[in-house]
Amino acid sequence: MVIYVIYGCAAIALLAALIFSKKILAVSIEGNPAEISKFKQISTAIQEGALAFLLSEYKYVGIFCLLFSLVIYAALDRVFPDVANAGFYCALAFLLGAVTSSVAAFLGMSIATRGNVRTTIKARSSMSEAFKVAYNSGAVMGYGLCGMAVFGLISICIVFSNIFSDVHIAMEIVTGFGLGGSTVALFGRVGGGIFTKAADVGADLVGKVEAGIPEDDPRNPAVIADNVGDNVGDIAGMGADLFGSLAEATCAALVIGASASAIAASVEALYYPILISAVGIPVCLITALFAKVGESPETVEKSLKLQLVISTVLMTIAIYFLTRWAMVPEFVLGGQKITQDGVLVSLFSGLWGGLLIGFVTEYYTSHTYSPVREIADASKTGSATNIIYGLSLGYKSSVVPVMAIAAVVYFSWHYAGMYGIAMAAIGMISTIAIGLTIDAYGPVSDNAGGIAEMCELEKTVRERTDVLDAAGNTTAAIGKGFAIGSAVLTGLALFAAFLTTSGIHSLNLLSPLVFAGLLVGTTLPMLFTAQTMRAVGTAAFAMIEEVRHQFKTIPGIMEGKGEPNYKRCVTISTAAALREMIAPGFLVMATPLIFGIVFGLEALAGMLAGAIGVGLVLAISSSNSGGAWDNAKKYIETGVHGGKGSETHKAAVVGDTVGDPMKDTSGPSLNILMKLMAILSLVFAPFIKLAHTWLLATLGL
């Protein structure tokens, strides 16, 4: 019965995505002939730029995935010599996860690049109608991705359970699916983040600061690349990131659960983690009925945040009844007796902990509250004090979320052991459909405002899209906090599954190898952040030079008579993103394998613990500093402290530019580092153990 429910929920999600797509495409592009031509020209340029980047990126990612699947095949066939074709099936799962993640991100972004211009058109008549189009555009990504993830997970679990007689081995091989999704997410997040911030920084520094022209001004050659970046980074990249969280947390729960005989013997209990994510889909669809706004600005943000609360409340009720129905009354795991109530505590702590982290993030990044207004005040004395206050805010803002995650970890581990950690992660991402919908809504609204500016529409249109965009910025900050929290719990769940698979029951911090591994792990998020920040700087430098060059050499460009070369800027961002994502990708993929083979599984466990701990704090502080700088600038643009064009505003623009790669590249990309290193260690744990033993024997140690 549980399998039918899961497939039914997946079908509902895919059907909902199809219906939302048709609603968007049914909106006609209206206006006089000149306006229609301009709408189509700009919209097509954004679509083509986004498509060109994704196709280029996926070409290289596809080649990498094919080669890496051969590594998985060769490694696991050596580890499971008595299990026929174990390496082949894990490699197949890896490729299926990569393809599913890529297709989901591609389809969601494809609709978003069509929904942006339609949002602009509806904003000419009504803010509520524009909101519907932008929201429906985000919903395609939200429900389409969840439907494909749930469908893929349950299908591959059923197939592998029938192929392999040992359920635990079958679930270990299923982890290849999560690894595939997370590998695509690595390049999607890093590559997309570098693309969008190279364009954004170039457009801001030369356009707004040097030339003094408005944001999204059509005279700025980088403006199309900036709008393309919103789609490839904040929609395709975010989608791949959360797909990875959903797949990886579920895989961790499946591996840990299958090691308990009571769960392995029950189909309902075994697939219970997938059931939770599946039922979250209709819960989020019910929540979407409350996605209504009026014509007053405050109703937009209120509506979006209300949906987060409603979905959490409804999911709490759903989880209670699902647990009573599908989970076994009690089971033993690692010598600990775990009950249904213990599993419920874990799920509830993750679910409500995620909401708490989201709203704490809002407090530190919204200009409604004092922390961001303090940064705006500090901008009166220049960009240096703006940056000092922003960094301080980011560091301080990490305290409560870390404490919240610590509480979640403590209670879930206390009541349900390692299985509880995995279920806490699933609880936090159980409302992912509505969260991703709201996240994707933001870039669509942002693009709509850019199109309104480039088409030189009436002022009221930009005012309406700015209201939608401002609400999207707030909920995007909440979404980033949620994504980081879920990434940490997912990383911890995978870490727990890694310990289970490796047979490590405890870690001795007094062991030189474990403590040394811990110290090495703390440096990895720092090095990764340094690489991604530098990558944005390098790419932005090329963009700045190009924009300056066009301003100087294209006759009449500043008078609006000369046509900027938008394609050249898109090409620069694409080439830079593809080139600069290689080093961070290699760091994440190679480090756990090399370190584990050389120093052993316990040292690798210490390294993972260090990377997750520092990665959590650094990701939160980076994202929140960047978000606060952005909203401090927007607060000044409302007219305070001199408003747009003032010296205070110029200082805030500099701070916002510094924060751009922190909040949209390095901070979010750390999610992938924490998850991907953990699942790589989990998938390759048996091979790492074998290779380390061989290495010691070869060296005579």
Side-chain angles (χ1 to χ4, degrees):
M1 180 62 181
V2 70
I3 294 174
Y4 295 115
V5 173
I6 293 171
Y7 272 120
C9 291
I12 289 171
L14 296 175
L15 180 61
L18 179 62
I19 292 172
F20 283 124
S21 298
K22 289 188 173 182
K23 282 185 176 182
I24 295 159
L25 298 177
V27 177
S28 58
I29 299 178
E30 302 169 344
N32 60 48
E35 288 175 339
I36 292 175
S37 175
K38 191 70 172 176
F39 283 144
K40 290 183 177 179
Q41 177 189 353
I42 294 172
S43 178
T44 301
I46 295 172
Q47 289 173 34
E48 290 177 349
L51 178 63
F53 172 75
L54 276 196
L55 290 178
S56 298
E57 182 182 49
Y58 285 168
K59 179 176 70 176
Y60 293 108
V61 172
I63 293 170
F64 174 82
C65 287
L66 285 173
L67 294 175
F68 198 73
S69 67
L70 296 177
V71 175
I72 295 173
Y73 170 71
L76 295 195
D77 257 12
R78 290 178 175 272
V79 174
F80 298 111
D82 299 328
V83 181
N85 299 317
F88 169 78
Y89 286 112
C90 190
L92 178 62
F94 170 79
L95 291 175
L96 288 173
V99 170
T100 306
S101 176
S102 300
V103 171
F106 178 82
L107 291 178
M109 192 206 70
S110 179
I111 292 298
T113 55
R114 288 164 173 79
N116 52 14
V117 66
R118 290 165 170 82
T119 302
T120 306
I121 290 165
K122 286 297 183 181
R124 303 186 81 174
S125 58
S126 165
M127 188 167 69
S128 60
E129 290 299 314
F131 173 84
K132 286 181 184 177
V133 177
Y135 183 88
N136 290 345
S137 299
V140 174
M141 169 63 86
Y143 294 98
L145 183 142
C146 289
M148 294 179 72
V150 169
F151 182 87
L153 279 167
I154 188 61
S155 298
I156 202 168
C157 283
I158 292 171
V159 171
F160 284 8
S161 293
N162 289 327
I163 291 174
F164 301 102
S165 56
D166 188 324
V167 175
H168 188 259
I169 289 179
M171 294 304 106
E172 280 192 43
I173 294 172
V174 166
T175 56
F177 186 86
L179 176 58
S182 195
T183 301
V184 170
L186 169 67
F187 296 109
R189 262 301 196 190
V190 175
I194 294 170
F195 183 107
T196 184
K197 291 304 107 180
D200 199 359
V201 170
D204 281 356
L205 285 182
V206 184
K208 290 199 293 187
V209 177
E210 294 182 7
I213 59 178
E215 188 172 3
D216 295 316
D217 193 296
R219 294 172 291 177
N220 194 327
V223 69
I224 293 293
D226 189 8
N227 281 277
V228 169
D230 290 337
N231 291 283
V232 299
D234 294 337
I235 294 182
M238 170 66 88
D241 181 1
L242 291 180
F243 177 94
S245 290
L246 176 57
E248 290 165 323
T250 305
C251 288
L254 290 169
V255 170
I256 297 171
S259 64
S261 57
I263 290 181
S266 169
V267 173
E268 290 81 6
L270 181 64
Y271 297 144
Y272 169 75
I274 308 177
L275 178 66
I276 296 295
S277 298
V279 173
I281 292 167
V283 165
C284 290
L285 274 174
I286 293 171
T287 305
L289 298 175
F290 296 89
K292 297 178 181 179
V293 303
E295 294 303 313
S296 57
E298 61 271 12
T299 60
V300 181
E301 186 174 322
K302 181 180 178 182
S303 173
L304 294 173
K305 290 194 290 189
L306 182 63
Q307 289 176 69
L308 297 174
V309 175
I310 292 173
S311 62
T312 302
V313 172
L314 293 179
M315 199 62 208
T316 301
I317 299 169
I319 284 173
Y320 176 83
F321 289 104
L322 288 173
T323 304
R324 296 302 185 211
W325 170 48
M327 177 50 62
V328 293
E330 62 179 44
F331 59 95
V332 177
L333 184 66
Q336 179 181 0
K337 187 171 77 171
I338 299 169
T339 65
Q340 281 186 353
D341 289 340
V343 174
L344 276 174
V345 168
S346 302
L347 283 162
F348 290 159
S349 63
L351 178 64
W352 286 92
L355 188 67
L356 172 63
I357 291 169
F359 282 111
V360 169
T361 303
E362 182 207 5
Y363 172 75
Y364 281 104
T365 56
S366 172
H367 62 61
T368 304
Y369 305 104
S370 59
V372 170
R373 295 190 177 193
E374 288 177 358
I375 297 178
D377 290 340
S379 303
K380 291 187 292 185
T381 52
S383 54
T385 45
N386 169 282
I387 292 170
I388 290 169
Y389 270 69
L391 289 173
S392 171
L393 178 147
Y395 298 146
K396 185 178 179 181
S397 69
S398 66
V399 175
V400 175
V402 170
M403 294 298 181
I405 290 175
V408 170
V409 170
Y410 174 80
F411 286 110
S412 57
W413 191 292
H414 178 74
Y415 285 102
M418 292 182 177
Y419 191 71
I421 298 290
M423 295 316 299
I426 288 175
M428 188 172 285
I429 61 175
S430 59
T431 57
I432 186 175
I434 206 74
L436 191 50
T437 295
I438 294 172
D439 270 331
Y441 147 91
V444 174
S445 301
D446 191 3
N447 268 203
I451 293 171
E453 186 78 33
M454 285 183 275
C455 292
E456 299 177 341
L457 299 182
E458 49 271 27
K459 188 179 178 181
T460 54
V461 178
R462 184 62 195 248
E463 289 174 351
R464 286 168 180 157
T465 59
D466 280 351
V467 170
L468 299 179
D469 183 29
N473 282 336
T474 299
T475 53
I478 294 174
K480 284 186 175 70
F482 166 82
I484 293 167
S486 64
V488 171
L489 283 182
T490 300
L492 287 172
L494 293 166
F495 179 65
F498 164 73
L499 296 178
T500 300
T501 300
S502 304
I504 299 174
H505 302 294
S506 62
L507 284 176
N508 180 11
L509 286 180
L510 297 179
S511 163
L513 269 180
V514 173
F515 193 75
L518 183 75
L519 293 178
V520 170
T522 62
T523 67
L524 296 179
M526 311 303 291
L527 178 57
F528 182 83
T529 299
Q531 289 176 329
T532 50
M533 291 283 286
R534 183 180 176 85
V536 171
T538 302
F541 180 80
M543 184 66 69
I544 289 167
E545 290 296 304
E546 176 61 26
V547 175
R548 285 173 177 167
H549 175 74
Q550 291 195 34
F551 278 159
K552 290 178 181 178
T553 60
I554 297 178
I557 188 172
M558 293 306 294
E559 293 76 28
K561 297 176 181 178
E563 182 72 19
N565 188 345
Y566 299 123
K567 286 187 177 180
R568 175 63 184 156
C569 290
V570 173
T571 301
I572 288 173
S573 268
T574 301
L578 295 176
R579 181 180 65 252
E580 299 294 336
M581 71 182 185
I582 295 173
F586 180 80
L587 175 71
V588 176
M589 298 291 288
T591 301
L593 298 179
I594 295 172
F595 192 84
I597 290 171
V598 174
F599 298 106
L601 291 176
E602 288 198 352
L604 176 57
M607 189 197 79
L608 293 176
I612 291 172
V614 174
L616 166 61
V617 178
L618 188 58
I620 293 174
S621 62
S622 296
S623 293
N624 288 353
S625 286
W629 276 317
D630 187 8
N631 282 326
K633 176 200 69 175
K634 286 182 169 60
Y635 179 58
I636 293 169
E637 289 174 348
T638 62
V640 301
H641 306 317
K644 285 186 179 181
S646 64
E647 291 302 314
T648 303
H649 181 245
K650 289 179 181 179
V653 170
V654 173
D656 176 39
T657 306
V658 172
D660 271 337
M662 294 175 67
K663 71 180 174 65
D664 290 326
T665 306
S666 299
S669 295
L670 284 168
N671 299 349
I672 314 298
L673 177 137
M674 292 183 282
K675 295 182 296 183
L676 186 52
M677 288 205 307
I679 197 168
L680 266 169
S681 302
L682 170 60
V683 171
F684 283 92
F687 173 76
I688 290 171
K689 183 177 182 180
L690 186 68
H692 178 65
T693 302
W694 173 84
L695 180 64
L696 292 181
T698 302
L699 297 175
L701 299 175

